[in-house]
Amino acid sequence: MYRDYLVLGSGIAGLKAAEAIRDLDANGSVMMVTRDSVSPYSRPMLTKTPLRTFCKARISLFPEIWYQERRIELSLNTAVETIHAETHTVIAGGKEIRYGKCIYALGAENFIPPVPGAQKDNVVSIRTAEDIEHIKLPRTARWRQVRGGRHRYA
């Protein structure tokens, strides 16, 4: 398969790239490839939504019709395996995708510090909707939270 524009990733950078492409080129084919199982959503909001009210079906930034109207094809549940820039091909989800232009917007992974116990199954970081689904616990479960980030001291 061939796409004029291939956007790897579905975070805000990938979404804005696809939107800008469509604004500049009304006719070119645009495909977003993501290993996420839902259309683009706000990753920062994952840590601000209470676990008990989290619903994966309601986190998308735009409804499916928004992508259809703009002719932006979403390839969900599709991991990027290999990028061959010299031949303008990507292997994703076991399939070869040829492209005219490619935007790499896959983002980064969270860092879990190398502290004792960090490798245990109950130590997780939150980056995707699936991470939230993984840590949903029964009301009786006990857990602790350690939050990371940048701190500025005066």
Side-chain angles (χ1 to χ4, degrees):
M1 96 177 62
Y2 176 85
R3 297 295 179 269
D4 294 311
Y5 302 97
L6 184 62
V7 179
L8 306 178
S10 65
I12 290 296
L15 177 62
K16 289 300 181 183
E19 192 174 16
I21 290 166
R22 184 49 70 223
D23 289 344
L24 296 171
D25 184 347
N27 299 315
S29 55
V30 179
M31 175 188 257
M32 293 179 72
V33 175
T34 179
R35 68 179 177 196
D36 284 328
S37 62
V38 293
S39 61
Y41 56 91
S42 174
R43 291 191 195 282
M45 289 309 295
L46 291 176
T47 59
K48 291 156 183 65
T49 304
L51 285 176
R52 62 183 165 74
T53 61
F54 177 80
C55 177
K56 199 160 64 166
R58 292 190 308 225
I59 65 170
S60 296
L61 292 172
F62 298 109
E64 189 176 325
I65 190 75
W66 187 90
Y67 299 94
Q68 292 170 356
E69 288 172 347
R70 287 158 182 77
R71 295 183 355 272
I72 297 172
E73 181 182 354
L74 291 176
S75 182
L76 305 176
N77 298 307
T78 307
V80 174
E81 299 156 29
T82 311
I83 301 171
H84 300 286
E86 64 283 347
T87 60
H88 285 229
T89 58
V90 166
I91 306 299
K95 297 179 182 167
E96 181 180 89
I97 306 168
R98 293 180 300 111
Y99 62 85
K101 297 188 184 220
C102 180
I103 295 179
Y104 185 98
L106 292 173
E109 294 296 323
N110 294 339
F111 173 75
I112 297 178
V115 296
Q119 300 305 319
K120 291 183 178 181
D121 289 341
N122 62 347
V123 175
V124 297
S125 66
I126 299 172
R127 184 174 186 277
T128 67
E130 284 73 24
D131 293 336
I132 295 286
E133 298 264 311
H134 174 74
I135 63 172
K136 277 190 165 183
L137 298 171
R139 286 182 176 259
T140 58
R142 291 178 33 156
W143 58 288
R144 295 181 188 171
Q145 178 182 23
V146 176
R147 298 183 85 175
R150 291 183 152 186
H151 299 282
R152 186 171 181 198
Y153 299 97

